[in-house]
Structure formats: structure tokens, C-alpha cells
């Protein structure tokens, strides 16, 4: 009798590896973002005009889209991995996965629309 | 398989009760900093998106971030991002390239190095941010007039 249980897909193995590869990318991506916005510029120098100016440049728009895509997906998959340590039933895991997926999708869309459409300081 | 309530209790108590030495704390801190950063990230994406969806709301969000408790939170957030990155690099390096060189001594050195590098990278950033906090929120100028 074969002891190994064959799975249809090795999604979890791919997700496990992906956390490491996306992590490599996120170190420069997140650290540079935090260094500029939190340490050098500082929260007291940030307003809607600052955001409008930043997103007027295709370079920073691209940067922030990459940040949103990789950091948030990495974070939500991390949350999923932590949740799998606590939720052990088939049904519970399925519900958790679906819930996390929907939250990821909705928040990602909100962020992406804002970055692409840009700030509207004239309405502030 | 244990009943869900039992396994939840086992996992929860195991998280804190297991005495695995410094790598256990590295693991706990990795999860804590990761979840903390994610919680901030969700709020951050939504509040920044108000610049398009609800522009008049954005200045209220920024005013909140400029308050003392949030600026202290920001200092903790920067530590979380640094530690999670440094420790993540250690995890990835051990998992992907160093499977044949695993030893307790090497792991111990790796974890201690991770803590040390994180604090060293964090201190200058924390000093700059705390200086900005004192200057803007308390009118205290440590450097210059």
C-alpha cells in the first residue's frame, strides 16, 4: 500500500515557495518605500497634493502597483498560513480561504483603482 | 484528528508554552510582525484610496497618523518591517540553499544575528522618527534651533 496521499495540485507547496521569492522582492520594495515616506519625508509633510504629485509620475504609479500587488498578496497568504494552524476542519479551512480571498480581492481592487485613477485634490 | 475546539486549544497553548529557545521567539516575532504589518497595510490601502474615492476624508486620516500614539505605532511598524525582512531572508536562505549545512549552532547564530541586525537597522530610523515626533507634536528641538 502506498502511504503518500496524492493531491490533485500542490498549491500549498507553490504558495510556500512563493512566500520566499516574493519576500526577496519585498525587501528592497518595502524598505525603500518606508525609508522615503516614514523616515525621510515624514507623515507631517504628507497631504493629498503630495499624493497627487507622486501619482502624476508613471514611475511611482508602477512602483506602488507592484508594492500593492506583492506586499498585500504576501501578507494575505501569510494570514492564510497562520489561520491554517488554527483551523483544522475541511469546512473551516474552505470558509477561511474563501473569506481571505474575497478580502484580498476587494482591498486590492480599491487600492489599484485609486493608484491608476490618481488623487483628486480639487475635490478635497 | 482531534475535535476543532481541542486542536485550537492545543495550537494556542503550544504557541506560548513550547520552549524551543531563541528560534521559537524568532518564529513568534515573525508572525506577530507579519500580522501587525498586514493589519496596518489593510488600513493604509483603504485610507490612501480616499484620495480618489473620498478626497475630503484624506486630511482626517493623515491628521490621525500625525497624532502621538500613531507616530509611536509608526516606529513599531518600521521595526516590524525591518525584522520581518531580515528574519524572512534568514528563513528563505536556510530553506532554499542551506539544507545540507543545518546545525543547532549555526541556527542559533543565525537567529541571534537576525535580532542584532534588525535592531541596528531600526535604531537610526527610530531616532529620526522620534525626533520628528518631538519637534512636531511637542515643539522640542533636539538638533538645532
Amino acid at each position: 500500500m502506498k502511504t503518500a496521499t496524492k493531491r490533485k495540485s500542490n498549491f500549498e507547496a507553490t504558495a510556500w515557495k512563493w512566500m520566499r521569492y516574493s519576500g526577496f522582492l519585498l525587501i528592497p520594495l518595502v524598505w525603500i518605500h518606508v525609508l522615503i515616506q516614514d523616515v525621510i519625508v515624514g507623515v507631517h509633510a504628507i497631504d493629498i497634493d503630495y499624493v497627487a504629485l507622486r501619482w502624476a509620475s508613471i514611475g511611482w504609479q508602477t512602483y506602488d502597483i507592484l508594492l500593492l500587488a506583492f506586499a498585500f498578496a504576501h501578507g494575505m497568504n501569510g494570514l492564510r498560513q497562520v489561520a491554517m494552524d488554527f483551523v483544522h476542519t475541511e469546512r473551516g479551512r474552505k470558509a477561511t480561504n474563501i473569506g481571505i480571498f474575497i478580502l484580498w480581492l476587494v482591498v486590492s481592487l480599491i487600492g489599484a483603482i485609486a493608484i491608476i485613477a490618481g488623487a483628486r485634490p480639487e475635490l478635497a | 484528528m482531534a475535535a476543532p475546539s481541542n486542536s485550537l486549544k492545543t495550537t494556542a497553548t503550544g504557541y506560548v508554552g513550547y520552549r524551543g529557545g531563541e528560534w521559537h521567539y524568532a518564529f513568534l516575532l515573525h508572525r506577530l510582525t507579519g500580522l501587525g504589518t498586514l493589519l496596518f497595510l489593510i488600513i493604509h490601502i483603504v485610507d490612501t484610496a480616499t484620495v480618489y474615492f473620498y478626497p475630503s476624508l484624506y486630511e482626517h486620516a493623515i491628521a490621525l497618523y500625525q497624532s502621538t500614539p500613531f507616530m509611536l505605532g509608526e516606529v513599531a511598524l518600521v521595526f516590524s518591517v525591518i525584522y520581518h525582512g531580515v528574519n524572512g531572508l534568514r528563513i528563505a536562505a536556510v530553506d532554499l540553499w542551506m539544507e545540507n549545512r543545518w546545525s543547532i549552532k549555526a541556527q542559533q547564530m543565525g537567529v541571534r544575528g537576525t535580532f542584532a541586525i534588525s535592531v541596528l537597522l531600526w535604531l537610526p530610523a527610530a531616532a529620526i522618527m522620534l525626533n520628528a515626533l518631538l519637534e512636531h507634536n511637542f515643539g522640542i528641538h533636539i538638533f538645532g534651533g
Side-chain angles (χ1 to χ4, degrees):
Chain A
M1 183 191 143
K2 287 204 170 153
T3 45
T5 43
K6 269 263 187 208
R7 295 252 170 192
K8 264 180 279 173
S9 77
N10 53 355
F11 171 78
E12 289 299 342
T14 309
W16 183 89
K17 267 192 184 157
W18 186 82
M19 288 303 271
R20 276 128 187 95
Y21 293 131
S22 63
F24 290 135
L25 183 69
L26 283 168
I27 289 177
L29 217 51
V30 172
W31 284 9
I32 290 169
H33 175 74
V34 168
L35 181 65
I36 295 174
Q37 311 303 347
D38 296 78
V39 182
I40 295 172
V41 174
V43 71
H44 282 272
I46 292 173
D47 58 14
I48 194 165
D49 294 320
Y50 176 85
V51 182
L53 193 68
R54 244 171 76 79
W55 286 348
S57 115
I58 183 91
W60 285 121
Q61 261 182 322
T62 310
Y63 191 100
D64 287 356
I65 285 282
L66 286 173
L67 205 51
L68 173 68
F70 282 94
F72 193 50
H74 181 99
M76 289 304 272
N77 191 51
L79 173 65
R80 211 181 55 79
Q81 290 182 334
V82 174
M84 291 306 112
D85 272 3
F86 292 92
V87 182
H88 295 155
T89 60
E90 201 76 31
R91 255 187 75 207
R93 288 189 164 189
K94 200 170 177 181
T96 308
N97 282 334
I98 291 170
I100 288 174
F101 178 78
I102 291 170
L103 182 62
W104 167 76
L105 192 67
V106 169
V107 175
S108 291
L109 279 176
I110 290 172
I113 290 168
I115 294 169
I116 292 165
R120 296 190 291 176
E122 68 278 5
L123 297 180
Chain B
M1 199 176 103
S5 60
N6 284 341
S7 47
L8 182 68
K9 195 179 159 202
T10 306
T11 314
T13 51
Y15 258 52
V16 187
Y18 169 66
R19 293 173 194 277
E22 44 265 86
W23 31 73
H24 178 55
Y25 297 111
F27 162 82
L28 277 183
L29 198 57
H30 196 75
R31 292 208 149 178
L32 201 67
T33 53
L35 291 176
T37 304
L38 177 65
L39 177 65
F40 166 75
L41 188 55
I42 294 172
I43 300 166
H44 178 53
I45 293 168
V46 173
D47 80 60
T48 307
T50 62
V51 298
Y52 171 73
F53 290 103
Y54 206 141
S56 60
L57 214 61
Y58 188 65
E59 62 175 312
H60 299 289
I62 285 296
L64 199 61
Y65 283 125
Q66 290 170 346
S67 69
T68 303
F70 273 76
M71 282 187 85
L72 289 173
E74 194 187 15
V75 177
L77 173 71
V78 169
F79 176 78
S80 297
V81 164
I82 291 172
Y83 174 76
H84 199 83
V86 175
N87 192 54
L89 206 57
R90 179 185 67 81
I91 293 170
V94 170
D95 284 351
L96 298 173
W97 305 311
M98 292 160 75
E99 48 191 322
N100 297 324
R101 281 189 279 162
W102 202 97
S103 74
I104 285 182
K105 195 78 205 154
Q107 293 303 305
Q108 207 164 31
M109 297 260 291
V111 169
R112 286 175 187 174
T114 302
F115 288 138
I117 291 168
S118 303
V119 171
L120 284 176
L121 289 175
W122 175 63
L123 282 178
I128 293 170
M129 292 165 81
L130 288 173
N131 183 54
L133 169 65
L134 290 176
E135 210 167 291
H136 289 286
N137 292 13
F138 298 96
I140 300 168
H141 300 272
I142 293 176
F143 301 104

